[in-house]
Amino acid sequence: MMKSTWHLVLVRRTVVVLTHLVLWAIAFGGALLLRFDGVLTGIHEPFRSNWPYALAALLVCRAVMFYGFGLFHGLWRYAGLPDLWSLLRTTALGTAAFMLLVEFVLPRAHLPRSVYAGELLLSVFLAGGLRFGIRTLRELKRGKRSTHATQILIVGAGDAGESLLRSLQRMPDGKWNVCGFVDDDPLKRGERVRHVRVLGPADEDTLRKAVADFDVKLVVLAIPSAPGTRVKEIVSVCRRLQVQTKTIPGVAEHIQDNNFSQVREIAIEDLLRRDPVKLDVKQVEGLIEGRPILVTGAAGSIGSELVRQALRFRPRKVILLDHNENGLFYLERELRQAFPGASFVPIVCDITDRDRVAWVFRRHRPAVVFHAAAHKHVLMMEVNSAAAIKNNVFGTLTVADAAHEFGAETFVLISTDKAVNPTSVMGCTKRVAEMVIQARAETSSTRYVAVRFGNVLGSNGSVVPLFREQIRNGGPVTVTHPEVQRYFMTIPEATQLVLQAGALGAKREIFVLDMGKPVKIVDLARLMIELSCPRPEDIKIEFTGLRQGEKLMEELLLDSEAYDETPHPKVFVGRIQPMARERLERGLAQLTHAMRNADDREIRRCLAEIVPEATLAQPEDRPSQSQGAPLSVPARMLS
């Protein structure tokens, strides 16, 4: 099989070379005829005797140049402007080599200088014309659309729209026909993109007319940077017109030629998205490039995305730490495929295991620590308060102590808006974790900072996957309260801003991310139902009432706190005073005792004492909470 394939390649390559030799000979003859007024007998001596030597020298020089620059290896049916530039450059180099050869080695092959210029132009014209002619014939053949082709309207006549159109036009089966573009840019109206006209703005009147005139069956949004409000408007219009709507991926998952499969359904993230984050690349590079990075909770939704984003800035190695063995296995496999040149160290470890954590830091000496490991489910932690304390408070203390002991440069704690005026055990534990790193920073050369943000769309355990499952099962979709609101960010946006905050932070700072406007959960549910169901009225929404630990509206700062701006417009630093060290140590000691005894009431009392702004309900008596192996905590925890 391989021998047969090699034979076919050799035959094809021979045909390509011979074709070029013929074209160059024709160009040479044409240049001679032009120089001598188109009459062969008009070629006078010594040029009549010289031209065979000159032609031989030209063919040798040109063939060597084309072979050296790989122009015999291209597929002509894909010829484009880069190929034309390569053709022009290589042809010119071949002509230059030919002239030098004639001047210094073969004076007998001397010709009038005008022949050189004429031959160069004719060679480019013939070789380029052949390439683009083959491509044009191929596209004309593919351009014959089936009479049953689906009529498509593209929203956005920019780079993404043109890329999508090119992909569709190259598809061989003719199932899709782009009948037009709509675009809000008034300068593009009436213009053509690859022979397809821009019909007008993406408003209801233009869309309605296009749907009626062209029998449009599918509208594809090629506006990956448009805000969610604009996407929502266009989707609403298309729903009223009963036209299917899809979108192309954003920059992070850009569409590729001949791959229409990447066009996907509209997702809730498209409707809620905001302006893309613009990182200060130099600043983040200064934090990460060339350094060993540790991410705790690396197999989680936030931790894994932190790893992906950090890899853009070329760390020396990334230590992936998580107690979830399966999650870590799949993450490492994904990363090795996506980043084959990067260095990863997967480590199965519980962050409350002080000896194991110390070994990790001693062995790998991370310069930057992103601490994303946490128990985060509010309702689950309400009935497992001791586990929340053990992991979120003392696990954080363990990792923060190791960062200090082994000289890490920066420690970034992933916190939450639920740490502000907390009404849940989980929120209280994250607030105490913030206090712990503020206290730890007082006696350490390590920079300790925390970053607060709200809900993350699509993260493990978030409301969006829950709603999807309920809609898939036919409903009802359960919402706790008609007025409950939450802040939302996408996972990439949140993690990029965490990196930025880590690069900005001085000691003991707590950063607050710009979360935009809060979203009513009931509105989110309605949007998801409308996107997912041809008959949204079939899916009901039920209100179940607020549960213990939940509140109607999350906050990012206390009323008594304020914030300062930073150089980044979406990152703010809260003016949050740390707790007195002695009081915090006393509270942590009491919390340790309550945790070891699995005393839920005492745990809540201790949390309320450490976090005076907290409002925690005292639950009814429950069976003791098993904590597994005891936690080793030093006598002076913040020494």
Side-chain angles (χ1 to χ4, degrees), residues 280-293 309-318 367-368 370 409-410 499 503:
D280 183 337
V281 174
K282 290 294 183 185
Q283 198 170 49
V284 179
E285 278 182 349
L287 175 72
I288 292 176
E289 187 173 23
R291 290 179 166 84
I293 307 298
Q309 296 289 344
L311 284 168
R312 295 167 51 197
F313 300 97
R314 300 173 297 282
R316 178 152 59 88
K317 66 178 174 180
V318 181
V368 182
F370 292 102
E409 298 172 15
T410 302
L499 295 180

Side-chain angles (χ1 to χ4, degrees), residues 329-394:
F329 169 79
Y330 289 115
L331 174 64
E332 184 197 12
R333 188 171 69 172
E334 174 205 324
L335 293 175
R336 292 202 185 281
Q337 290 176 348
F339 303 93
S343 175
F344 308 103
V345 183
I347 295 178
V348 178
C349 175
D350 185 334
I351 59 170
T352 64
D353 185 340
R354 183 169 289 270
D355 293 338
R356 175 73 167 158
V357 169
W359 176 87
V360 171
F361 275 80
R362 184 182 305 109
R363 175 72 177 271
H364 298 286
R365 300 283 175 171
V368 182
V369 179
F370 292 102
H371 182 49
H375 292 328
K376 65 176 186 177
H377 297 287
V378 171
L379 298 178
M380 187 65 70
M381 292 305 101
E382 286 298 300
V383 295
N384 292 275
S385 58
I389 298 298
K390 180 179 180 182
N391 196 72
N392 293 1
V393 175
F394 294 110

Side-chain angles (χ1 to χ4, degrees), residues 438-581:
Q438 283 186 306
R440 176 74 277 175
E442 291 180 5
T443 58
S444 177
S445 59
T446 301
R447 292 190 310 125
Y448 289 89
V449 299
V451 184
R452 286 179 185 169
F453 52 87
N455 293 32
V456 177
L457 285 170
S459 63
N460 297 334
S462 71
V463 71
V464 170
L466 173 62
F467 284 174
R468 284 196 184 114
E469 181 183 354
Q470 291 176 336
I471 293 168
R472 190 165 51 246
N473 294 334
V477 174
T478 56
V479 179
T480 55
H481 191 282
E483 296 300 321
V484 71
Q485 300 180 54
R486 293 291 182 266
Y487 292 101
F488 284 98
M489 304 179 86
T490 65
I491 295 176
E493 181 182 14
T495 52
Q496 288 175 40
L497 290 176
V498 166
L499 295 180
Q500 190 71 68
L504 286 168
K507 280 191 176 184
R508 301 200 305 177
E509 290 179 330
I510 297 178
F511 289 96
V512 179
L513 304 186
D514 174 11
M515 298 294 300
K517 295 181 180 179
V519 176
K520 277 191 174 183
I521 300 300
V522 68
D523 292 341
L524 179 68
R526 290 191 183 110
L527 279 173
M528 292 189 65
I529 292 170
E530 289 177 4
L531 283 176
S532 306
C533 305
R535 291 171 52 85
E537 62 273 12
D538 292 344
I539 305 292
K540 305 301 180 186
I541 295 177
E542 288 185 0
F543 296 104
T544 59
L546 288 175
R547 294 162 292 188
Q548 183 174 310
E550 294 183 326
K551 49 185 177 179
L552 287 177
M553 177 73 183
E554 300 291 358
E555 306 150 277
L556 291 171
L557 289 169
L558 296 174
D559 292 338
S560 60
E561 296 172 343
Y563 63 84
D564 294 320
E565 294 182 349
T566 71
H568 196 281
K570 289 192 175 185
V571 181
F572 304 91
V573 57
R575 294 202 292 269
I576 302 168
Q577 293 301 314
M579 174 176 280
R581 186 183 185 85

